[in-house]
Amino acid sequence: MLLRTLLDDPDLRLELLTGAGGLDRVVRWVYTTDLRDPRRYLSGGEVVLTGLMWHESAADSETFVAALVDAGVAGLISGTARLGAAPPDLIEACGRHDLPLIEVPLDVSFAEISDRVVLGVTAERTGMLGRSRRLVADVAEGADLEDVLRSAAAELGIGCWVLSTTGRSIAAASPGGQDVDDLPEPARRTAVRRFVRTERLPTSFTFGDRATTYSVTAAGPDTGSRAAQWCVVLGADHREFSAGQQAVVQELGTAVALLRARLDEGRRVARQGTDMFLRMVLDSSAPPAEIASRLGTLGHDPAVPVWVLACQAGEDAGLAAALLAEIGDELAPTTLIGSADADTVAVLATHSSAQQEIVDALRAKLAAIEPALGKRRLTFGVSGVAPADRLRSTIEEARHARLLAEHQLARETGSRGGVRVVAGDEVSSHALLLAALPDELRSSFHERLLRDLRAYDARHQSDLVHTLWLFLETSGSWAKAAAELHVHVNTLRYRIRRIEEITGKDLASFADRVDLYLALQLG
């Protein structure tokens, strides 16, 4: 499929802004992003759709376009909802880099363009059976995920399932059309683990007393992080498939990817309304009655209590939103997802006050995703359950808990990635305050109080910082601290006097003890 095929489609009414010389580039897939640098999710040949949420200055345009060109994309299509039109600096950047830039009218959705690309790319593939070609055509005509799975299961003669990386069973179908048993939870966990850990897909595994073999493959092109993708599970060994069955499996993945793209587009549109609502909530002037009214408008019963998840996945707000959507679909009857500054937050309805059960379930689900994160840090903060009229404080509780999760993970893993979940009721008061401080202030406070003490230890090969830590951890007990250090109490008293001389603090003073304790916490 060529890029000019999209431009020539009269239903889309696309307008070329620059880059006419690149219209004969081959389009291999479609990718929607609002990241400033999305190149790690691109494999080349994509047409990239963007709502320009990343654009704040001309420098952003250069960064974004250079990243796309470096990844080898076919072209860029920009929306007009946020800025009204493509900014001149974006047009200039695309012109400098010979990247075709196309603008989409406000009333044409990204989902429509994605449909055209998927259908066009699929139609040009060779060696596919007529039935498999109809899977994507069925999607274009309105078929849902269950319809597509039933058609594929009938063609393949085996059971088919679609799973999220959180282990949620999204849809299932059997070859005979009757209800199919859901995959047992251990089998789902194994399938997800193989999906996120195996470098090349499809892969297979054997499970259960009957040694049933299943295969796992990606829904659509296997590009970018798998952390929030869906996977397709098949009730047979893919290595024994005929060429025709392999074609059906490939087309099934394409159809599922198309349906997922439609779902993501709907979620993206819904987040725009939630973003406005969250800005109103975080503005302390909004009265509770107005918050309750807006909650009702967004489909949430204001009489039902809420809890909040705050999430960051590095700079990838799209991944954070996708994971929150999957988690919300499984853990709550209604979920609102939007942005609160740099955090992505989910407001979830619940009739339960068992926060620890929620946190335990969340940690179990996220453990499977960690191998797919690479060096990315995924941090979550979980609030307690509260009435809807206390939503503002509930959001802040979750955000502060997430800040603490980020601080803890950074201290433990350094530049490595990982997952950390912190619940609001797990956070002690001082830790919550420390997590909310900017990095520069935390570092400055630590250095100002402990720099001289650390320098003394380095010069004299002593360990006064550790002595101070143990003394404070034992609540200033001379006997307990001396026993922990394996020294005489008089030796400990001498060390504490030296610490007081070096730091200028009086460890008999409660206020000075607090200062030094907090400085140690920030180290």
Side-chain angles (χ1 to χ4, degrees), residues 17 37 98 109 133 158 177-178 226 240 283 288 294 315 411 447 473 475 477 486 497 513-514 520:
L17 301 182
D37 184 353
D98 296 322
S109 72
R133 284 198 299 268
I158 56 176
Q178 68 272 24
R226 296 177 187 167
E240 299 176 359
D283 178 358
R294 288 293 300 275
E315 295 183 356
R411 289 182 62 182
E447 283 295 307
E473 281 291 297
S475 302
S477 169
H486 305 291
R497 282 197 300 272
R513 285 190 186 187
V514 170
L520 288 166

Side-chain angles (χ1 to χ4, degrees), residues 102-409:
I102 297 170
E103 190 168 78
V104 58
L106 185 61
D107 60 339
V108 175
S109 72
F110 282 179
E112 291 180 67
I113 299 172
S114 296
D115 285 0
R116 294 296 201 283
V117 173
V118 173
L119 287 169
V121 170
T122 301
E124 293 180 355
R125 289 178 180 167
T126 59
M128 294 186 301
L129 297 179
R131 180 61 187 171
S132 66
R133 284 198 299 268
R134 286 200 295 273
L135 290 179
V136 172
D138 288 347
V139 172
E141 294 171 3
D144 61 17
L145 185 56
E146 287 75 12
D147 295 331
V148 169
L149 277 189
R150 279 194 294 269
S151 296
E155 182 70 23
L156 294 168
I158 56 176
C160 301
W161 298 263
V162 175
L163 305 179
S164 73
T165 48
T166 61
R168 181 169 68 97
S169 181
I170 298 166
S174 67
Q178 68 272 24
D179 291 340
V180 62
D181 291 336
D182 201 359
L183 283 176
E185 184 177 350
R188 295 202 305 271
R189 287 200 303 267
T190 301
V192 169
R193 185 166 59 249
R194 296 299 296 269
F195 175 64
V196 300
R197 291 176 181 266
T198 303
E199 183 175 352
R200 295 181 63 85
L201 295 172
T203 185
S204 59
F205 67 94
T206 301
F207 176 82
D209 296 337
R210 298 182 180 179
T212 303
T213 299
Y214 298 93
S215 296
V216 185
T217 191
D222 185 23
T223 59
S225 171
R226 296 177 187 167
Q229 290 185 19
W230 287 350
C231 63
V232 177
V233 181
L234 307 163
D237 190 337
H238 69 94
R239 292 168 294 188
E240 299 176 359
F241 287 171
S242 67
Q245 287 176 311
Q246 291 174 8
V248 174
V249 171
Q250 184 182 37
E251 196 63 16
L252 173 60
T254 300
V256 173
L258 179 54
L259 289 163
R260 173 65 188 271
R262 284 183 176 176
L263 176 63
D264 288 343
E265 174 67 9
R267 287 171 171 171
R268 187 185 68 82
V269 172
R271 286 200 301 272
Q272 294 174 357
T274 306
D275 286 348
M276 296 176 61
F277 169 68
L278 291 175
R279 285 195 293 271
M280 181 194 76
V281 170
L282 295 175
D283 178 358
S284 57
S285 64
E290 185 175 356
I291 292 174
S293 174
R294 288 293 300 275
L295 269 176
T297 302
L298 293 170
H300 180 104
D301 184 352
V304 176
V306 298
W307 58 287
V308 174
L309 277 173
C311 175
Q312 272 196 27
E315 295 183 356
D316 194 346
L319 173 59
L323 286 173
L324 287 175
E326 294 294 342
I327 293 165
D329 284 348
E330 191 166 0
L331 296 182
T334 61
T335 306
L336 304 177
I337 297 172
S339 300
D341 298 324
D343 289 329
T344 304
V345 302
V347 180
L348 303 99
T350 183
H351 291 283
S352 170
S353 59
Q355 185 193 45
Q356 192 56 50
E357 293 180 9
I358 293 171
V359 172
D360 291 344
L362 182 59
R363 285 175 175 150
K365 294 179 184 304
L366 293 174
I369 297 173
E370 189 164 355
L373 294 174
K375 293 185 177 181
R376 189 186 293 106
R377 293 195 190 107
L378 183 62
T379 52
F380 285 83
V382 186
S383 77
V385 176
D389 60 6
R390 288 174 47 197
L391 182 56
R392 182 174 183 272
S393 61
T394 307
I395 292 172
E396 293 298 344
E397 178 186 348
R399 295 182 67 195
H400 287 311
R402 194 212 62 77
L403 276 172
L404 180 58
E406 181 178 307
H407 180 60
Q408 291 177 344
L409 193 60

Side-chain angles (χ1 to χ4, degrees), residues 31-39 41-42 47-73 75-79 87 89-91 93-94 96-97 99-102 110:
Y31 182 73
T32 302
T33 185
D34 276 310
L35 292 176
R36 187 175 286 106
D37 184 353
R39 79 185 81 192
Y41 303 111
L42 300 168
V47 58
V48 174
L49 310 179
T50 181
L52 302 176
M53 300 301 293
W54 48 266
H55 186 275
E56 298 295 339
S57 68
D60 293 336
S61 290
E62 177 62 27
T63 299
F64 183 73
V65 172
L68 298 188
V69 171
D70 183 56
V73 306
L76 173 63
I77 298 180
S78 65
D89 49 81
L90 177 61
I91 299 173
C94 288
R96 283 194 302 273
H97 290 276
L99 179 68
L101 173 61
I102 297 170
F110 282 179

